[in-house]
Amino acid sequence: MIAALTLQNAKAEITCACCPSPVQLHLEKLRLGMRTDPTEEPSTLEFKEVGATDQNIGVDDDHETGDSIEDVPLFPQDVSLDGVSTTEHTPGSSEESHRGNVEEREDAALRRAKRSGPEFAEFSEGRWTGRTGVDAGAPEDRGSLLDGQKQGRSEFRWNRDEGRGNTRQEEPKLTSSTFALTGDSAHNHAVVYWSGQNSSVILILTKLYDFHIGSVTESTLWRSTDYGSTYERMNDKVGSKTVLSYLYVCPTNKRKIRSLRAVCSSALMREPSYQKYRLTFYILSLLFHPSEEDWALAYSHDQKLYSSVDFGRKWQLIHEHVTPNRFYWSVLGLDKEPDLVHMEAHTPDGNVQYVTCKAQMCTEANRNYPFPGYIDISSLVVQDDYIFIQVPTSGRATYYVSYKRDSFIQIKLPKYSLPKDLHIVSTDEKQVFAAVQEWNQNDTYNLYLSDTKGIYFTLAMENVKTTRGIGGNQMLDLYEVAGIKGMLIANKRQDNQVKTYITYNKGRDWRLLQAPATDLDGNDIHCILPFCSLHLQLQMSENPYLSGTISTKDSAPGIIVATGNIGAELSYNNVGMFISSDAGNSWRQIFEEEHNVWFLDKGGALVAVKQPSVPTRHLWVSFDEGRQWIQHSFSSVPLFVDGVLVEAGAENQIMTFFGHFSHRSEWQLIKIDYKSIFSRKCTEEDYQTWHLHNQGEPCVMGQKQIYMKRRPGNYCMLGKDYSRILSAESCICRAHDFECDYGYERRGDGNCRPAFWFNPSTVSRSCSQGQNYLNSTGYRKVVLNNCTKGVKEMYTARKQQCPNRPPKGLVLTTKDGKLTANLGSNVTFLVHLDEGDSLRTNIQLDFGDGTAVSYSNLSWTEEGIKHVYKSAGIFRVTALAENTLGYDTTTLFLHVTCPVEHVQLLAPFVVIRNKEVNITAVVLPSHSRTVTYFWWLGNNTEPVITLDGSISFTFPNEGMHTITVQVAAANTMLQDTKTIAVKEFFKSLLLSFSPNLDEFNPDIPEWRQDVGRVIKKALLQEQLLVAVFPGVPTAAELFLLPHKNQTEGKKKSEEELEQVSNIIVSALNQNLVEFELKPGVRVIVYNTQLTLAPLVDSNPRHSSSAMLMLLSVVFLGLAVFLIYKFKRKIPWINIYAEVNQEKEQEMIGSVGQGESTPKITLSEFSTSKELMEKELDCQGQK
């Protein structure tokens, strides 16, 4: 079975679960019972095979043949067999009194579940484990006192039809023997395994699991060859110092057993039946092949998957980065290669894909990808005829299914179910039964049934209750009754009450359970439907050796044993045990307290034991379907029963009780041979016929089914070839044999009508003119229903001719569902048409970059339309579907991006207050419309967001202002920051240098910064800013700034700047300003223009704002080189504005700025782009 999603997680994902028990939504179960995961990680690199040969196990040939995978447990279960405190009350005690809301009822259920197992029980990956507080110093004579006990007692018979009785009667006695696992009193875990049908070999692995260090520190392997009468310690056979952590049993040959070591011994055993193999990896889980006994898959702690075809002697790596528990062997009859492996693997970029390959040939060239695209993590499930995946989408869960390995098709749930959790309940009856938690549900699920292909789902029941298990796992209160097809029991929440319902036709019709007519004492029970009914607890025990709250068996059809209560709603107070012998039509109470009940002799007998919260030495046996119970003693000392092992399908009539006599005693194993309670084998006279029915209706799932059952009260043993179904006759089809089809809902009158969102006139696009299609009547036959004739023709879809119609519902998407793509990547477009003749509809696709394609019909586009974009940008992709009757069109906008590698902020370092200034961000490589710019200007706390790389801004206040730009493209984000001086006015001069400076100019930002610093030092002025331009001949700009807070005395400051300017110009003209570049090399600084530059301020007479490239010793650091393509260095650009197409930017020079004063514009200097190209050429020549 298949499960999906956790309630805490809004994203749907699919996981494996167990069937036919109530559905577990969170607990990972074992597919087909073959995958077993250790409760703790192995701590060494060793793997052992324990092969039991005929001469070793001491079993005669009759017991070694006929192994059945179906009837025998397929894997060992991990169970804690420690003692339980005697202070716990028995079921039904006063401590369990309960009133209140549903939450309190569920808490009571949790308390009840805890009583069914030992204290401190823990549950992990579908196995039941526990810890114990036993004392290692327990008396060792406890086991010897009871060892070899052979007697059994029969005490009295209890006839439920006559009430309670205490009359002792002579009955056949049970034969029992007790064996104590001496020396294992401190061990708190055990793995018990019966090695195959009719085999006399039982293996028990006990171990001490240290919860502080998280590993096994001690273990003992025990082996019995006489059905559990005696056990032999096997530690010497596998290595006295060896600590085994787990057993793995081959499902096709249960005499082949693998064990994992946690501590290695110094020597390897050489006996032929025990072989050890060292591994280079830690095994976390194993998966055996369903038919080849020597084939297995191993999953390691580092997410690698290995395969072996020689029972673990050699292992070969299949794939790395595989999702845990998302790997599967091939399914017989469906996959062509028996060694095919299905797996969910991760790509290097973090995506997840569905991959298949052969176990021993899984190179990249031999791998296949059945689903075109990525899937959600932990969503792959391969089960029976179906493969399920979930596709990553934004906001909504989208599921796909492949039926019998065909192409994947999207699962169709009702349009507005909007699932946030999906759980596949069953897939083994030629359809999918799914539980869906919809957008408006929290602790309930809706049940849906699919068609045969698993595509179209219709509602079967709303608001099925969930229960939280001991391990925190959510359990769906839904139970599939074994032995009868189509029969389900569910607990439904309705009007704040939970009631139990039953169906006989796979959810087509549901009804309440009729309560028993009398109680145990024969008193009448006045319980009238629908106000009062019987309600059942539907939790399966997480301890595999306890029966849980409900039990059925394939070999005993019609018998249902469950814990429940009578009343208006489900309650966990005043519960009792109830049984139905006629498939839920009528019920009887059998116990006032909770019991574990098992089926013996292929369902011919029932055995009951009280819940293990208190010790007991009695069991109850019934031969008449629970009407009469016989009490037997199986032990002279009360036993805390932690579990009972009953081999399914066995012919030896043996069961084994596990438990402790006290908290300090060893493990006690009590073997009970119940063969003596049968007087003889059954003959034909011992059987009677039983007709399956639903409240008197003999037709169930379109058949009249007659079963053979043993007459109640006959103490005979059922035969080996006992046939359960005597005959099955098809019925005439009636309305209850049909359910509503997809898109239809059942109304109050019982008829199916179209849902408001469904258009019944919609015809599939695959329907072409001249062909026929099946037009739904709103009904479909329940899958596996065997009715014939009757209303079948009226309700069955009718064959009609495909109409000629215009295209409608054209949808264009990308293969991965994304609207972004990387430059140069292969983009696959998918075209979907809801209506229209696909064979006669032309499809045209314009990619938006000047290229387009056209297809004569839609069938050519099924694999997708691929295209590679050669430039970045936003492209309008348009699809057109057209035929002779009309057309339909749709548009998609695709963002093609490439990562940003460098961003450079171009801004002046000095600007005039209240004058607009242009700021530019240069991005490399250059993008077109796919870059987003975030600007932080001045002291603003929120950014200005633009799609353009330039922005204009006016600084209203004087001072030093920081501007920052962030550039986002694809998945990258880069940032650059600059500091700008804002002044009311300033003075500038152009400088040049003696030619010898050019010989030492490397033309890098750091050099220019140092030169500017020494110039300022040579002038001895703190009010200077110096900018050295890139390139040669070397040139610079000198700025004179007013002192701080001198704006009010502007005239005085202007005069001071004029005086300083005159002094500097005079010094420059007289060649008095120089500096030493290196010993022996002195550089003279000149004034480029002889005319003094006027002051620059915010007076309106001045033309545009100054776009200046300045270098400040205090504030200005020019950027570090970045390596770009071809490993060429790009220098920092010191011209902070390019020539704008709308308006030419001006540089304030050292000449007059009046109307008649000539201007020195940027066109007379190199632009930033020219400077960059010049720098690249310079660096390339070097």
Side-chain angles (χ1 to χ4, degrees):
M1 300 309 103
I2 306 148
L5 297 180
T6 63
L7 289 178
Q8 295 89 346
N9 197 341
K11 172 179 146 188
E13 57 182 49
I14 307 177
T15 60
C16 293
C18 188
C19 169
S21 64
V23 179
Q24 295 200 25
L25 300 185
H26 297 175
L27 186 62
E28 181 72 10
K29 283 295 185 181
L30 310 179
R31 178 183 176 273
L32 300 178
M34 294 183 200
R35 173 178 284 129
T36 55
D37 302 320
T39 54
E40 65 279 328
E41 179 181 319
S43 58
T44 66
L45 307 179
E46 186 163 335
F47 176 85
K48 282 206 297 292
E49 170 190 2
V50 183
T53 61
D54 291 342
Q55 60 265 33
N56 290 114
I57 59 178
V59 182
D60 51 19
D61 293 338
D62 292 339
H63 289 159
E64 293 300 331
T65 60
D67 290 358
S68 169
I69 299 176
E70 179 181 355
D71 294 333
V72 184
L74 298 180
F75 56 97
Q77 299 283 1
D78 209 5
V79 59
S80 173
L81 307 181
D82 54 349
V84 183
S85 172
T86 57
T87 60
E88 291 194 44
H89 295 278
T90 58
S93 62
S94 60
E95 74 165 357
E96 293 186 9
S97 61
H98 164 74
R99 297 291 184 270
N101 56 30
V102 176
E103 248 184 54
E104 295 174 304
R105 293 197 294 274
E106 293 184 357
D107 290 342
L110 183 57
R111 293 195 298 271
R112 181 212 61 74
K114 287 183 177 178
R115 290 197 305 275
S116 68
E119 294 178 327
F120 311 110
E122 295 186 354
F123 300 85
S124 150
E125 293 298 315
R127 286 173 308 286
W128 189 89
T129 64
R131 68 181 74 176
T132 180
V134 298
D135 187 348
E140 295 190 355
D141 57 351
R142 177 74 67 181
S144 60
L145 174 67
L146 299 167
D147 193 12
Q149 176 183 351
K150 295 293 183 183
Q151 68 176 10
R153 293 181 178 83
S154 174
E155 300 203 351
F156 66 87
R157 174 182 296 176
W158 180 5
N159 190 315
R160 293 304 182 189
D161 295 333
E162 300 174 359
R164 271 196 199 92
N166 291 320
T167 305
R168 291 178 180 271
Q169 300 184 23
E170 289 298 325
E171 299 293 345
K173 296 183 178 180
L174 292 177
T175 301
S176 65
S177 63
T178 302
F179 188 89
L181 302 184
T182 305
D184 286 357
S185 61
H187 291 187
N188 53 11
H189 281 206
V191 178
V192 184
Y193 183 74
W194 202 327
S195 59
Q197 183 178 8
N198 301 325
S199 171
S200 64
V201 177
I202 299 177
L203 293 176
I204 299 179
L205 173 64
T206 65
K207 51 191 177 180
L208 175 61
Y209 184 82
D210 191 322
F211 291 91
H212 297 290
I213 65 176
S215 65
V216 177
T217 58
E218 296 179 17
S219 71
T220 304
L221 180 63
W222 300 85
R223 179 168 170 264
S224 172
T225 59
D226 52 9
Y227 295 99
S229 296
T230 60
Y231 289 84
E232 176 188 4
R233 185 189 290 263
M234 304 300 294
N235 283 31
D236 292 338
K237 298 289 183 69
V238 298
S240 59
K241 296 182 179 180
T242 297
V243 176
L244 303 180
S245 60
Y246 208 71
L247 294 179
Y248 294 91
V249 183
C250 178
T252 55
N253 184 353
K254 298 174 183 57
R255 286 173 290 170
K256 285 190 173 181
I257 299 175
R258 296 169 175 170
S259 62
L260 291 181
R261 297 178 50 165
V263 179
C264 295
S265 60
S266 58
L268 295 179
M269 297 297 298
R270 299 300 182 186
E271 294 184 23
S273 58
Y274 296 91
Q275 303 173 25
K276 298 181 181 180
Y277 306 97
R278 290 189 178 273
L279 297 179
T280 58
F281 60 94
Y282 291 89
I283 292 180
L284 291 185
S285 62
L286 287 175
L287 180 64
F288 293 94
H289 194 276
S291 59
E292 298 291 336
E293 62 185 55
D294 289 336
W295 294 7
L297 300 177
Y299 186 76
S300 69
H301 73 293
D302 54 355
Q303 296 187 325
K304 294 180 181 179
L305 186 64
Y306 298 84
S307 68
S308 174
V309 294
D310 56 3
F311 200 62
R313 292 171 178 84
K314 296 179 181 178
W315 293 91
Q316 181 170 331
L317 178 65
I318 297 178
H319 206 294
E320 296 181 345
H321 307 296
V322 177
T323 305
N325 296 324
R326 296 300 163 185
F327 49 90
Y328 307 87
W329 278 112
S330 61
V331 178
L332 299 179
L334 291 174
D335 294 304
K336 296 180 181 179
E337 298 88 3
D339 60 342
L340 189 71
V341 178
H342 305 262
M343 73 192 94
E344 181 182 293
H346 297 246
T347 62
D349 56 358
N351 293 309
V352 181
Q353 288 181 304
Y354 167 30
V355 185
T356 62
C357 64
K358 291 186 177 182
Q360 297 288 305
M361 296 178 58
C362 198
T363 61
E364 183 61 39
N366 295 324
R367 293 172 185 168
N368 295 312
Y369 302 88
F371 182 76
Y374 301 126
I375 66 175
D376 274 338
I377 187 172
S378 298
S379 69
L380 172 67
V381 171
V382 180
Q383 183 69 43
D384 297 325
D385 293 341
Y386 307 92
I387 300 177
F388 300 92
I389 60 169
Q390 181 184 333
V391 178
T393 54
S394 55
R396 295 187 183 181
T398 305
Y399 303 95
Y400 284 78
V401 63
S402 169
Y403 176 66
K404 290 188 175 181
R405 306 305 185 261
D406 287 341
S407 300
F408 280 90
I409 300 177
Q410 184 176 345
I411 288 177
K412 299 292 185 180
L413 290 165
K415 186 173 182 178
Y416 296 108
S417 65
L418 305 180
K420 58 182 181 182
D421 189 8
L422 174 67
H423 185 96
I424 306 299
V425 179
S426 81
T427 59
D428 52 2
E429 294 186 357
K430 298 187 182 298
Q431 69 177 153
V432 181
F433 203 160
V436 176
Q437 187 174 61
E438 301 187 4
W439 63 275
N440 57 349
Q441 293 178 308
N442 293 318
D443 58 352
T444 60
Y445 281 71
N446 291 346
L447 300 182
Y448 287 91
L449 277 172
S450 78
D451 58 350
T452 301
K453 294 185 176 181
I455 301 173
Y456 295 97
F457 284 78
T458 59
L459 183 65
M461 173 178 266
E462 291 183 303
N463 296 321
V464 178
K465 173 184 173 292
T466 59
T467 303
R468 185 173 297 276
I470 297 176
N473 305 300
Q474 289 292 333
M475 309 287 293
L476 189 67
D477 277 19
L478 175 70
Y479 186 82
E480 293 185 75
V481 178
I484 300 177
K485 298 294 185 183
M487 186 174 176
L488 302 163
I489 302 176
N491 285 329
K492 178 181 180 180
R493 187 184 302 277
Q494 187 174 8
D495 299 330
N496 294 324
Q497 290 184 327
V498 177
K499 299 176 182 288
T500 300
Y501 290 81
I502 191 170
T503 179
Y504 295 84
N505 53 8
K506 287 194 171 184
R508 162 61 169 83
D509 301 290
W510 296 85
R511 63 172 176 82
L512 295 168
L513 299 181
Q514 179 65 59
T518 60
D519 60 15
L520 282 175
D521 297 322
N523 300 319
D524 292 338
I525 298 176
H526 300 284
C527 185
I528 301 175
L529 294 173
F531 309 103
C532 174
S533 60
L534 176 64
H535 309 283
L536 304 179
Q537 298 177 22
L538 303 179
Q539 289 80 49
M540 195 69 173
S541 174
E542 296 189 55
N543 178 350
Y545 298 109
L546 298 177
S547 64
T549 62
I550 184 168
S551 297
T552 59
K553 192 176 182 64
D554 284 325
S555 59
I559 300 179
I560 308 172
V561 184
T563 303
N565 68 282
I566 299 173
E569 63 176 324
L570 178 67
S571 172
Y572 296 94
N573 294 332
N574 303 321
V575 297
M577 297 297 298
F578 298 86
I579 190 172
S580 175
S581 301
D582 56 3
N585 287 283
S586 62
W587 295 82
R588 304 184 306 277
Q589 187 173 0
I590 54 177
F591 296 108
E592 289 182 340
E593 298 173 325
E594 294 178 79
H595 284 64
N596 285 287
V597 180
W598 295 271
F599 291 85
L600 301 179
D601 188 32
K602 296 184 179 294
L606 299 173
V607 60
V609 178
K610 282 187 177 181
Q611 290 282 1
S613 56
V614 294
T616 182
R617 59 190 182 93
H618 301 296
L619 59 81
W620 298 87
V621 179
S622 175
F623 296 91
D624 56 2
E625 299 173 348
R627 294 178 177 84
Q628 198 175 57
W629 293 85
I630 303 169
Q631 179 178 300
H632 294 272
S633 294
F634 61 86
S635 172
S636 61
V637 179
L639 179 77
F640 289 96
V641 178
D642 296 313
V644 177
L645 178 63
V646 180
E647 186 188 9
E651 306 294 339
N652 49 38
Q653 291 78 45
I654 292 175
M655 58 182 174
T656 303
F657 279 66
F658 306 92
H660 292 78
F661 291 127
S662 70
H663 293 298
R664 299 185 177 184
S665 70
E666 286 83 5
W667 299 83
Q668 304 296 328
L669 308 176
I670 301 179
K671 169 192 172 183
I672 300 176
D673 189 341
Y674 58 88
K675 185 176 183 179
S676 60
I677 65 178
F678 299 103
S679 57
R680 55 186 171 80
K681 286 191 175 183
C682 295
T683 63
E684 291 185 6
E685 289 74 17
D686 294 307
Y687 295 97
Q688 66 181 15
T689 60
W690 172 67
H691 296 253
L692 175 64
H693 66 94
N694 176 13
Q695 297 289 288
E697 170 57 54
C699 290
V700 176
M701 291 294 288
Q703 280 186 325
K704 295 179 180 179
Q705 301 177 53
I706 302 176
Y707 293 81
M708 291 291 292
K709 299 177 67 173
R710 185 177 56 189
R711 295 181 184 276
N714 289 9
Y715 293 86
C716 63
M717 187 184 305
L718 295 178
K720 184 176 181 180
D721 299 324
Y722 171 63
S723 177
R724 298 184 296 275
I725 298 181
L726 181 63
S727 67
E729 177 186 351
S730 296
C731 299
I732 299 299
C733 289
R734 290 182 290 177
H736 62 253
D737 296 312
F738 292 82
E739 62 190 2
C740 290
D741 203 352
Y742 174 76
Y744 291 80
E745 298 174 340
R746 192 172 300 280
R747 302 299 170 86
D749 58 1
N751 294 321
C752 297
R753 296 284 186 267
F756 77 95
W757 51 266
F758 182 69
N759 180 11
S761 63
T762 301
V763 181
S764 172
R765 63 178 178 83
S766 61
C767 187
S768 183
Q769 186 177 6
Q771 297 178 343
N772 296 321
Y773 75 102
L774 294 177
N775 187 13
S776 176
T777 61
Y779 300 84
R780 69 185 185 192
K781 191 177 179 182
V782 175
V783 176
L784 295 184
N785 186 294
N786 294 313
C787 73
T788 59
K789 301 180 181 179
V791 299
K792 181 178 180 180
E793 184 176 352
M794 180 176 65
Y795 285 120
T796 302
R798 300 179 178 88
K799 184 182 292 186
Q800 294 184 2
Q801 189 173 9
C802 295
N804 191 13
R805 59 204 186 285
K808 186 178 180 181
L810 182 65
V811 178
L812 176 64
T813 61
T814 58
K815 180 180 176 181
D816 56 6
K818 299 178 180 178
L819 296 177
T820 61
N822 292 328
L823 181 64
S825 63
N826 209 332
V827 184
T828 302
F829 295 95
L830 301 177
V831 179
H832 173 76
L833 187 64
D834 286 338
E835 297 183 41
D837 190 341
S838 62
L839 296 181
R840 291 175 171 80
T841 299
N842 176 270
I843 298 295
Q844 299 178 27
L845 190 63
D846 187 342
F847 298 110
D849 62 349
T851 59
V853 293
S854 178
Y855 297 91
S856 59
N857 60 67
L858 203 61
S859 62
W860 293 100
T861 67
E862 291 180 354
E863 299 298 326
I865 304 171
K866 297 182 179 180
H867 184 67
V868 176
Y869 286 90
K870 298 181 179 180
S871 62
I874 303 176
F875 298 93
R876 179 189 179 100
V877 186
T878 304
L880 172 68
E882 186 177 19
N883 62 20
T884 56
L885 296 180
Y887 69 93
D888 194 10
T889 184
T890 184
T891 300
L892 176 150
F893 292 93
L894 183 70
H895 292 241
V896 179
T897 63
C898 65
V900 175
E901 298 182 19
H902 174 58
V903 59
Q904 180 178 336
L905 184 60
L906 305 182
F909 281 95
V910 180
V911 298
I912 302 298
R913 184 175 68 88
N914 291 327
K915 284 291 185 178
E916 189 176 73
V917 58
N918 288 339
I919 304 169
T920 302
V922 177
V923 174
L924 298 176
S926 62
H927 286 56
S928 173
R929 300 183 301 158
T930 61
V931 176
T932 304
Y933 299 85
F934 300 84
W935 307 88
W936 278 268
L937 304 171
N939 297 320
N940 295 340
T941 57
E942 294 294 328
V944 177
I945 304 175
T946 68
L947 296 177
D948 191 3
S950 297
I951 190 172
S952 297
F953 188 73
T954 301
F955 293 91
N957 300 317
E958 285 189 292
M960 304 305 297
H961 294 266
T962 299
I963 60 174
T964 299
V965 63
Q966 287 184 337
V967 177
N971 295 323
T972 59
M973 175 82 74
L974 295 180
Q975 174 179 306
D976 194 14
T977 300
K978 286 286 179 283
T979 300
I980 295 180
V982 179
K983 296 294 181 179
E984 189 77 19
F985 54 88
F986 60 87
K987 184 85 172 177
S988 68
L989 298 172
L990 293 179
L991 306 177
S992 59
F993 304 90
S994 57
N996 59 344
L997 180 61
D998 295 341
E999 300 176 10
F1000 301 95
N1001 184 355
D1003 206 10
I1004 61 174
E1006 292 89 342
W1007 184 88
R1008 291 192 289 270
Q1009 180 179 352
D1010 289 336
V1011 169
R1013 178 171 49 82
V1014 298
I1015 294 174
K1016 181 177 179 179
K1017 183 178 180 181
L1019 292 173
L1020 300 175
Q1021 288 292 330
E1022 292 297 329
Q1023 302 165 244
L1024 297 181
L1025 292 180
V1026 180
V1028 178
F1029 299 119
V1032 290
T1034 308
E1037 186 91 15
L1038 182 148
F1039 287 86
L1040 297 174
L1041 304 180
H1043 287 290
K1044 295 181 180 179
N1045 303 323
Q1046 287 192 356
T1047 303
E1048 295 180 358
K1050 178 180 178 181
K1051 184 175 181 181
K1052 182 178 179 181
S1053 296
E1054 289 179 350
E1055 293 175 354
E1056 290 179 354
L1057 284 184
E1058 189 70 30
Q1059 294 175 2
V1060 172
S1061 175
N1062 292 334
I1063 294 172
I1064 293 175
V1065 170
S1066 175
L1068 292 172
N1069 291 338
Q1070 298 179 45
N1071 299 335
L1072 298 179
V1073 180
E1074 61 178 14
F1075 60 91
E1076 187 176 41
L1077 187 66
K1078 58 186 300 186
V1081 178
R1082 300 194 66 83
V1083 178
I1084 301 175
V1085 183
Y1086 303 101
N1087 179 22
T1088 302
Q1089 302 183 19
L1090 299 179
T1091 305
L1092 292 179
L1095 294 174
V1096 179
D1097 59 16
S1098 56
N1099 193 293
R1101 75 175 183 271
H1102 297 304
S1103 56
S1104 65
S1105 62
M1107 296 298 296
L1108 305 173
M1109 176 57 64
L1110 304 175
L1111 179 64
S1112 171
V1113 174
V1114 181
F1115 307 104
L1116 312 180
L1118 298 178
V1120 181
F1121 284 105
L1122 294 177
I1123 303 299
Y1124 184 49
K1125 296 181 180 179
F1126 312 114
K1127 298 185 178 179
R1128 299 175 65 180
K1129 295 182 179 179
I1130 299 177
W1132 199 254
I1133 303 174
N1134 287 68
I1135 299 298
Y1136 272 73
E1138 295 188 24
V1139 177
N1140 193 291
Q1141 294 181 358
E1142 290 81 11
K1143 180 178 180 182
E1144 186 179 55
Q1145 301 298 319
E1146 298 177 351
M1147 173 171 285
I1148 307 303
S1150 56
V1151 294
Q1153 297 288 316
E1155 293 297 330
S1156 60
T1157 306
K1159 301 175 183 177
I1160 304 176
T1161 67
L1162 282 179
S1163 59
E1164 299 180 29
F1165 295 94
S1166 300
T1167 65
S1168 60
K1169 184 178 297 185
E1170 293 170 346
L1171 290 170
M1172 181 184 295
E1173 293 174 352
K1174 180 179 179 182
E1175 184 80 7
L1176 289 173
D1177 292 338
C1178 248
Q1179 297 298 327
Q1181 293 173 2
K1182 294 178 183 179

